[in-house]
Amino acid sequence: MNRPPPTDITIALVEDERVLRQEMAFQLEHLGFSVNTFENAAQFYRALLVQSRTIAVLDIGLSDEDGLSICQHLRSYDSQMGIVFVTARVLREDRLIGLAAGADAYLSKPVDMEELVLILQRLSRRFSPEIASVDPVETQEDASWRMENDASFVRAPNGVRIRLSINEARLLRLLLQKAGIACSHAELGLALGLPPEELDRHRLEVILSRLRLRTKRLTGIPLPLVSCRGFGYRIEI
């Protein structure tokens, strides 16, 4: 079997059977994929907050939330995410229900790894390059960090446009709307759809830290993101 091309896509394997989960992860990693494993939906959702470039490989019969519900939830906010069911449910009706829920593919256990790898390679091509284009900056006065109209990209002062993850876009939109004003951890959590009782500051730190590093790497310009100790963050424009 040919190895897949290098990619920064992560395969999220959500499977509650430990031995099968470990075996599938081992085989995929051996073939060059980056794999994170989860035994239930709650673990997967927490990880998805900081890792959006993901293809989900889902079992249906999970302990907390079934794979069909997970699939429908993912599709409700991301039409491009790759979703593959790997399940013991083999009836034609089950397969049609899975595809109707939004899955890109439906495979039966025991899974044919060659078929799964071909599907994962195809789905990974959905993700566009991080840098979309370089737009000319007309005047120095106009040069600033700006969100594109569809909020999928941010444009740096030098005209480089960078694709954003959903969570990056939510946070950066709020920070740019309140440029120069500190946004509290609670405000930023709400931008991610997290009520105060579910707020995890570490999640915010990870998302924003990665965004700061990635924008500097891709544009050569530091994102003017400032940490306000004990309170939150602000963008200085």
Side-chain angles (χ1 to χ4, degrees):
M1 192 187 307
N2 293 330
R3 290 177 179 270
T7 176
D8 64 345
I9 306 302
T10 297
I11 307 302
L13 178 57
V14 190
E15 166 63 61
D16 60 358
E17 187 177 333
R18 182 178 61 84
V19 174
L20 177 59
R21 183 173 68 244
Q22 293 176 344
E23 177 62 24
M24 288 181 64
F26 174 80
Q27 293 188 54
L28 290 173
E29 288 171 345
H30 179 70
L31 291 166
F33 289 96
S34 173
V35 182
N36 288 332
T37 62
F38 311 96
E39 64 178 336
N40 55 48
Q43 292 179 356
F44 174 46
Y45 287 148
R46 285 194 294 270
L48 199 59
L49 285 173
V50 295
Q51 177 60 56
S52 62
R53 292 172 66 83
T54 296
I55 297 173
V57 177
L58 305 174
D59 187 16
I60 291 181
L62 299 170
S63 58
D64 56 349
E65 179 181 356
D66 69 70
L68 293 171
S69 175
I70 296 173
C71 180
Q72 291 168 339
H73 174 70
L74 296 176
R75 276 286 172 260
S76 70
Y77 80 86
D78 189 345
S79 62
Q80 295 301 307
M81 179 180 287
I83 303 174
V84 181
F85 281 127
V86 174
T87 175
R89 301 183 185 183
V90 298
L91 296 179
R92 176 178 179 273
E93 182 179 355
D94 291 325
R95 180 175 181 274
L96 293 177
I97 290 173
L99 295 175
D104 296 288
Y106 189 103
L107 302 179
S108 302
K109 296 177 182 177
V111 65
D112 182 328
M113 290 302 297
E114 289 195 30
E115 183 178 6
L116 176 58
V117 166
L118 289 173
I119 291 169
L120 295 178
Q121 289 175 326
R122 172 174 57 82
L123 292 175
S124 68
R125 290 194 287 269
R126 282 186 184 172
F127 292 86
S128 302
E130 290 182 297
I131 298 179
S133 62
V134 178
D135 293 333
V137 179
E138 294 181 0
T139 67
Q140 185 63 33
E141 289 76 15
D142 292 333
S144 61
W145 290 88
R146 298 179 180 177
M147 297 286 289
E148 296 289 304
N149 290 335
D150 65 355
S152 297
F153 299 89
V154 64
R155 195 188 79 164
N158 60 1
V160 176
R161 297 172 65 244
I162 301 170
R163 180 179 293 275
L164 299 171
S165 72
I166 292 173
N167 289 323
E168 289 172 343
R170 289 171 176 171
L171 294 178
L172 194 54
R173 183 191 300 112
L174 175 62
L175 288 163
L176 288 173
Q177 286 174 348
K178 300 183 65 174
I181 302 173
C183 296
S184 69
H185 292 117
E187 289 178 281
L188 294 166
L190 288 173
L192 292 178
L194 297 174
E197 64 271 15
E198 296 182 16
L199 177 63
D200 182 348
R201 293 187 182 184
H202 179 65
R203 296 180 188 177
L204 296 176
E205 293 169 2
V206 171
I207 296 171
L208 292 173
S209 176
R210 289 182 177 179
L211 178 61
R212 183 190 283 120
L213 292 172
R214 192 159 62 88
T215 51
K216 178 63 165 64
R217 172 172 59 85
L218 296 175
T219 70
I221 301 174
L223 180 69
L225 177 65
V226 178
S227 174
C228 303
R229 186 178 180 88
F231 181 78
Y233 293 86
R234 73 173 184 275
I235 287 280
E236 293 185 342
I237 299 296

